[in-house]
Amino acid sequence: MRPYAMTALRYLTRRFYHIENAFFLPHMASNMDNDLHGSDSKKDKRIAVLFPGSYRSVDSLYDEIKERFPNGIANRLAMQTLERLLSCPWETLEVAFETCLGDNGIEMSDELIADFLNHAKILDHFIRMYYRCRVLSVIAQAEIPLTILSEGWSGFPPAQSANVRVLPAVGYARVFQYMEEAEIVLNVMPWFKAGSHERIFNALLYDACPLSDKSTWLTNHFEENQEYAFYSLEQLERLPVQVYSLLNQEDLRRTIIQNGKKKVINNYTSRQNAQRIVNFLEQI
């Protein structure tokens, strides 16, 4: 991941929304079981790679973007921001938008920027679906056994491949049963680029190896190939090799799961997050 000027949550909330008391909580693990401290290597791992996430056609999202920003300068800025996100996946929506403002010689108040970004959430949704599609296409085309668990994938062309199985969406808690059966749980981060995702923490909690693109928070708090595995959106041609490597190295997967699971249990469950909130409230 290329370096970029990461904007802290506190800076963003103060600058755009004038919220002084702000702090960050990582997505917490959802401990649905009272006995998760041991790694259960006896689980039947019937799934090689699991992706538990939905999909919406980027074509329909693109049409919605054009409807949301039908003409004029707003349309030009929205389309340029989208193009920049497609070519610079390491950037956040606000960084890409402000770069496009500068390229067009436009000055905009923080209030107007915040208003635009609020209406531009559809751009974030588009870029997430675009890269979900690309990531899963690369894996499917490499003939790696892939299980997709959620809705919206019926129109996804690689879903017709013999090595791809698409299962209907299930309730949130039932996803964990599939994670327990998976060797690898695949993740594509949202575009805030500085946080975590419960899919990573829950994969570890339920004895699967998470494989995700990077965020600054994750690289600062988790050690690569010791507590979870990374891939790069800029080098997706390498992703199949990384997946095969993880699938073929049981000791590496076990090391990642054991170390990462211990960190999650000790730091990132609902109990720890609730305590952080209490501690914060006691200080203000």
Side-chain angles (χ1 to χ4, degrees), residues 7-9 14 21 35 40 119 147 180-181 186 198 204 216:
T7 310
L9 172 65
R14 285 179 176 174
N21 292 318
D35 185 22
D40 189 355
H119 285 86
T147 298
E180 284 185 303
E181 297 176 1
L186 186 67
E198 58 80 20
L204 291 166
T216 51

Side-chain angles (χ1 to χ4, degrees), residues 51 71 97 112 119 125 168-169 184 196 227 235 261 272 284:
F51 181 76
N71 48 49
F97 177 65
L112 285 176
H119 285 86
H125 198 186
I184 295 171
S196 61
E227 295 168 327
Q235 297 176 313
K261 184 174 184 177
Q272 281 90 23
I284 61 175

Side-chain angles (χ1 to χ4, degrees), residues 85-145:
L85 287 170
L86 289 171
S87 60
C88 306
W90 58 89
E91 288 190 351
T92 61
L93 175 60
E94 67 272 8
V95 170
F97 177 65
E98 291 197 89
T99 299
C100 292
L101 284 177
D103 290 344
N104 284 276
I106 297 173
E107 293 186 5
M108 190 176 286
S109 69
D110 288 348
E111 288 73 17
L112 285 176
I113 292 175
D115 185 62
F116 182 92
L117 293 176
N118 186 51
H119 285 86
K121 291 177 182 178
I122 187 68
L123 301 182
D124 177 275
H125 198 186
F126 179 98
I127 202 72
R128 273 192 276 172
M129 296 302 108
Y130 173 83
Y131 272 102
R132 282 186 181 185
C133 188
R134 282 199 61 192
V135 167
L136 296 192
S137 295
V138 166
I139 291 177
Q141 291 164 7
E143 300 185 352
I144 296 170

Side-chain angles (χ1 to χ4, degrees), residues 152-268:
W153 293 98
S154 58
F156 177 58
Q160 311 308 317
S161 304
N163 58 302
V164 178
R165 179 175 59 152
V166 180
L167 301 177
V170 298
Y172 180 70
R174 285 196 59 200
V175 174
F176 307 143
Q177 299 172 19
Y178 290 90
M179 287 182 171
E180 284 185 303
E181 297 176 1
E183 302 283 10
I184 295 171
V185 172
L186 186 67
N187 181 59
V188 182
M189 289 293 294
W191 249 250
F192 43 70
K193 293 298 176 184
S196 61
H197 201 288
E198 58 80 20
R199 192 178 293 131
I200 295 170
F201 293 167
N202 283 321
L204 291 166
L205 208 60
Y206 290 90
D207 299 310
C209 179
L211 176 60
S212 176
D213 57 321
K214 295 184 178 182
S215 83
T216 51
W217 188 92
L218 286 168
T219 54
N220 286 335
H221 292 80
F222 279 71
E223 187 175 350
E224 185 171 5
N225 290 330
Q226 289 295 315
E227 295 168 327
Y228 94 128
F230 294 109
Y231 68 88
S232 171
L233 291 174
E234 300 169 74
Q235 297 176 313
L236 286 179
E237 70 281 358
R238 297 178 55 188
L239 181 55
V241 175
Q242 291 176 274
V243 173
Y244 276 122
S245 179
L246 281 173
L247 290 174
N248 291 326
Q249 296 185 67
E250 183 178 354
D251 288 345
L252 175 59
R253 292 199 314 274
R254 186 171 299 173
T255 294
I256 291 171
I257 292 168
Q258 289 177 343
N259 293 339
K261 184 174 184 177
K262 181 179 179 181
K263 176 167 281 188
V264 169
I265 289 173
N266 291 334
N267 297 279
Y268 303 117

Side-chain angles (χ1 to χ4, degrees), residues 63-89:
D63 290 341
E64 188 172 329
I65 291 169
K66 290 191 293 185
E67 291 176 5
R68 181 78 55 87
F69 304 98
N71 48 49
I73 187 62
N75 174 272
R76 187 171 75 196
L77 288 172
M79 293 304 172
Q80 288 180 358
T81 300
L82 187 62
E83 290 175 6
R84 183 162 184 89
L85 287 170
L86 289 171
S87 60
C88 306

